[in-house]
Amino acid sequence: MNIGLDIGGSHIASGIVNEKGQLIGKESEDIDISKFKTETEIEDFIIEIIDRKINYLLVRYNYHISDINKIGIAIPGNVKNNIIQNVVNLHIKKFDIAKRLSNIYNKEIKVKNDAKCAGIAEKKFGNLKEYNDAVFLCMGTGVGCAVFMHGVLLEPKQATGFELGHMVIEKNGIECNCKNKGCFETYASMKRFKKNAIARLNLPLSIEAGQVQYYIRENFYTNSEVKKFVNEYIDNVAIGITNIINIFEPEAIAFGGSFSYYSDIFLPLLETKIEKLKFNKETKTKLLVAKLKNDAGIIGATLI
């Protein structure tokens, strides 16, 4: 048995995973770091939650820490030499979380970028399993990715790499959190989709993401303004996806994150637009919905 941790800007999820990639038990907790003034306070807070969740899982599912082989951590940002660096949403510049947890549990601790972890899980146990050349895209708050060629995850030596969310699709476009302008994720993220939907479709500012999805789904086929809004969004997504296809010629692309919840609307539109834009008209790339959904990060963390 292994333990996987998926740490985000607003939540920490943990789970016990067996050797077949099956999630035996899962715990999740929303977090708010706004009350903390220093990076040390944030780090201590994260360690405290992780320790509490792991112990709870072990007791609840009748395991002992000695039954656990290793602990894997999926987290946004760059991970170098197993150390977390530059996690903007958590206000962390550098955090040796592996060392902190190994001192508590005396276990091997591995850390990796969360999108890469999710991609690894989707490649091994999900809908990318049958494809050697494939791309995983997690389209939610931002756009995370993992690229596989000949069945192997591509990994640069210097950094996490393959930040496809930060390829520029609009020269003088909207400013991204990375301070560049016109990044793909600035136009394609579901966070931006929700924000624009509220502004364009006059939705309540307090509306939840699930309610936006319901509104779009209920009105897409009957409301011309909703249809126009969705098509404009997919126009931008299609530019980024076409670039990815032109560069990597993948057999398949799997979409994770909340983008996947709109797959019945988004994917047919995207397929049509990509066919018109891509360079190699003979290239066939299947557009798929990620199978493992929100559990992909936890499961993938146990595979690193």
Side-chain angles (χ1 to χ4, degrees), residues 14-281:
S14 57
I16 298 175
V17 182
N18 67 18
E19 302 302 325
K20 296 180 179 180
Q22 296 169 325
L23 194 61
I24 304 302
K26 177 183 174 182
E27 281 293 315
S28 183
E29 182 172 327
D30 292 337
I31 62 172
D32 179 11
I33 63 167
S34 61
K35 57 186 175 182
F36 300 112
K37 296 181 179 180
T38 68
E39 189 170 330
T40 299
E41 289 177 326
I42 295 171
E43 293 174 2
D44 290 343
F45 173 65
I46 291 172
I47 292 294
E48 186 272 326
I49 290 179
I50 289 173
D51 188 37
R52 174 157 42 84
K53 290 299 178 183
I54 287 178
N55 285 310
Y56 183 83
L57 279 170
L58 293 174
V59 171
R60 181 177 178 184
Y61 294 96
N62 198 28
Y63 287 104
H64 187 270
I65 192 64
S66 61
D67 299 315
I68 304 301
N69 296 317
K70 66 177 180 180
I71 299 172
I73 303 171
I75 192 165
N78 185 32
V79 178
K80 191 171 184 179
N81 298 323
N82 216 37
I83 297 174
I84 299 167
Q85 302 183 66
N86 300 322
V87 186
V88 177
N89 290 334
L90 289 174
H91 305 295
I92 290 175
K93 294 180 180 179
K94 191 173 182 179
F95 182 18
D96 195 349
I97 190 171
K99 184 177 181 180
R100 289 280 300 270
L101 290 178
S102 65
N103 287 338
I104 296 173
Y105 297 110
N106 193 29
K107 295 288 180 182
E108 179 186 18
I109 313 289
K110 291 290 185 70
V111 187
K112 203 174 193 68
N113 173 267
D114 57 350
K116 304 297 186 290
C117 286
I120 291 169
E122 197 64 34
K123 180 71 179 69
K124 187 172 180 63
F125 298 115
N127 284 337
L128 291 179
K129 187 176 181 179
E130 304 301 321
Y131 301 97
N132 286 315
D133 297 343
V135 175
F136 171 80
L137 290 173
C138 183
M139 296 175 64
T141 303
V143 176
C145 66
V147 179
F148 300 88
M149 299 297 290
H150 304 290
V152 178
L153 177 70
L154 297 183
E155 296 186 274
K157 290 184 177 180
Q158 297 188 84
T160 302
F162 296 95
E163 293 289 352
L164 302 181
H166 294 284
M167 61 180 166
V168 175
I169 66 168
E170 181 63 53
K171 180 181 178 182
N172 296 309
I174 302 166
E175 184 174 291
C176 180
N177 287 334
C178 74
K179 303 305 179 183
N180 285 333
K181 291 184 177 181
C183 289
F184 178 46
E185 77 169 32
T186 308
Y187 292 85
S189 75
M190 294 306 294
K191 180 180 180 180
R192 177 69 62 172
F193 179 83
K194 178 187 174 184
K195 181 179 179 181
N196 289 346
I198 290 172
R200 283 279 301 276
L201 305 176
N202 296 315
L203 301 178
L205 293 176
S206 60
I207 193 170
E208 299 291 333
Q211 294 172 310
V212 174
Q213 182 192 157
Y214 178 81
Y215 180 85
I216 296 292
R217 193 172 298 285
E218 287 294 301
N219 292 280
F220 176 73
Y221 297 102
T222 57
N223 186 310
S224 60
E225 188 60 30
V226 172
K227 182 173 285 189
K228 182 181 178 182
F229 168 72
V230 170
N231 270 283
E232 288 176 1
Y233 168 73
I234 294 298
D235 282 341
N236 287 318
V237 174
I239 293 172
I241 301 302
T242 302
N243 288 340
I244 292 169
I245 291 174
N246 287 343
I247 294 168
F248 297 108
E249 302 281 1
E251 299 169 279
I253 298 175
F255 295 90
S258 49
F259 182 95
S260 63
Y261 301 148
Y262 293 84
S263 60
D264 57 321
I265 296 175
F266 287 174
L267 293 191
L269 294 174
L270 191 55
E271 287 173 349
T272 299
K273 294 178 188 296
I274 287 171
E275 284 302 315
K276 295 178 181 179
L277 292 173
K278 69 183 184 182
F279 172 74
N280 188 349
K281 302 300 182 183

